[in-house]
Amino acid sequence: MKWFHSDGHTQTYIPKKHREYAQQLAYKRFLLEKQTECKKELYALELYQRHAVGENKKSDRFLSEDPAYQELLCPFYQMVTQEELIWSDTSYPKNPNYPEQLKYKSCKNEYVRSKSEALIAMNLYMEKIAYRYECELKIGKAVFYPDFTILHPLTGKEIYWEHFGKMDLPEYAKNAVDKLHMYARNGIYPGDRLITTYETMEQPLDTAIVQKLITYHFK
């Protein structure tokens, strides 16, 4: 490999002993290309900002301001009330354990512990259902952190969703059963205020199941 410096007309050979000079020229070339790309992106953003509909969307007014349209459209679009937004965005005590396991980014720009949890979070977010991830829950003398605490859009009750992702591991499965027993002893029953999903290495979580559970419990 040989290095040359061009002024647009002639090329000058750069000896190997001037490696630092070659590095500086390479870095300059890289930054110039990056600057050109950023200018194009900035121009595109300015165009978008000038022509974007923004908050003044007539379709949104159908859903938020016109009761007649709300009644007709509610089977297709889940409304999010101001109370739900406040509940969802208010800070809450989160699970402090094993923060290094939070590796997967969700639609709400928060990090969850598995791809399956990210899948559940995505479906809740797309259906405009307010939720909190690993919010503290005190059950008796124990403290739990359900994967999802969901504010039911119709009843206003808090519903919990636990995903058990390693059911092919005996110790994990035992802990999952113990956890379900603890919920039941404190009046939180699967199918009522508790949604549960399961998977193994050979049988991962199915998107269709997540969607059906959301429809069944919240629609």
Side-chain angles (χ1 to χ4, degrees):
M1 185 180 297
K2 295 182 180 180
W3 303 322
F4 295 89
H5 175 221
S6 174
D7 60 4
H9 301 286
T10 59
Q11 288 187 333
T12 305
Y13 174 71
I14 303 174
K16 294 295 183 184
K17 64 181 180 179
H18 293 157
R19 177 182 179 84
E20 184 177 352
Y21 176 57
Q23 285 179 319
Q24 292 174 347
L25 289 174
Y27 188 47
K28 178 182 177 182
R29 175 66 183 277
F30 170 78
L31 290 178
L32 287 172
E33 291 295 332
K34 182 62 69 175
Q35 183 184 53
T36 300
E37 293 170 358
C38 289
K39 286 181 178 179
K40 290 181 179 179
E41 289 181 3
L42 180 60
Y43 177 68
L45 289 170
E46 290 172 346
L47 284 177
Y48 172 78
Q49 193 171 28
R50 285 202 296 269
H51 297 285
V53 176
E55 297 181 358
N56 188 27
K57 295 179 180 178
K58 189 174 181 179
S59 61
D60 286 349
R61 294 202 299 273
F62 282 159
L63 298 174
S64 61
E65 300 175 8
D66 193 323
Y69 271 100
Q70 284 180 5
E71 183 181 359
L72 292 172
L73 294 173
C74 65
F76 305 100
Y77 292 95
Q78 183 74 46
M79 303 297 110
V80 179
T81 65
Q82 188 65 24
E83 291 76 15
E84 290 172 334
L85 289 173
I86 293 174
W87 179 87
S88 180
D89 293 338
T90 300
S91 61
Y92 55 89
K94 300 181 180 181
N95 186 356
N97 302 316
Y98 310 109
E100 71 280 359
Q101 295 178 0
L102 299 169
K103 298 179 180 180
Y104 301 90
K105 196 172 185 179
S106 74
C107 293
K108 290 175 63 176
N109 291 321
E110 63 187 357
Y111 285 88
V112 298
R113 299 180 188 274
S114 70
K115 292 180 180 178
S116 294
E117 289 181 350
L119 173 64
I120 296 170
M122 180 190 71
N123 279 274
L124 291 172
Y125 180 82
M126 295 299 291
E127 294 294 334
K128 296 183 174 61
I129 296 175
Y131 72 87
R132 293 174 175 177
Y133 179 71
E134 290 194 343
C135 177
E136 180 184 270
L137 172 65
K138 293 182 179 179
I139 302 180
K141 297 182 180 179
V143 176
F144 284 90
Y145 298 94
D147 294 327
F148 299 93
T149 301
I150 302 164
L151 191 65
H152 198 293
L154 301 179
T155 66
K157 292 183 179 179
E158 291 188 356
I159 308 296
Y160 308 103
W161 189 323
E162 290 281 12
H163 177 67
F164 300 103
K166 301 177 182 178
M167 293 301 290
D168 40 0
L169 302 180
E171 186 64 24
Y172 182 94
K174 177 184 179 301
N175 291 336
V177 172
D178 291 342
K179 197 171 188 179
L180 291 173
H181 286 170
M182 179 64 73
Y183 275 120
R185 282 196 292 269
N186 287 273
I188 301 174
Y189 306 107
D192 179 23
R193 291 184 59 204
L194 179 62
I195 303 171
T196 57
T197 45
Y198 309 86
E199 69 177 318
T200 64
M201 288 291 291
E202 294 184 357
Q203 293 181 310
L205 182 63
D206 189 345
T207 304
I209 291 177
V210 174
Q211 293 172 343
K212 288 180 180 179
L213 284 170
I214 290 175
T215 299
Y216 177 79
H217 287 279
F218 303 114
K219 299 294 184 178

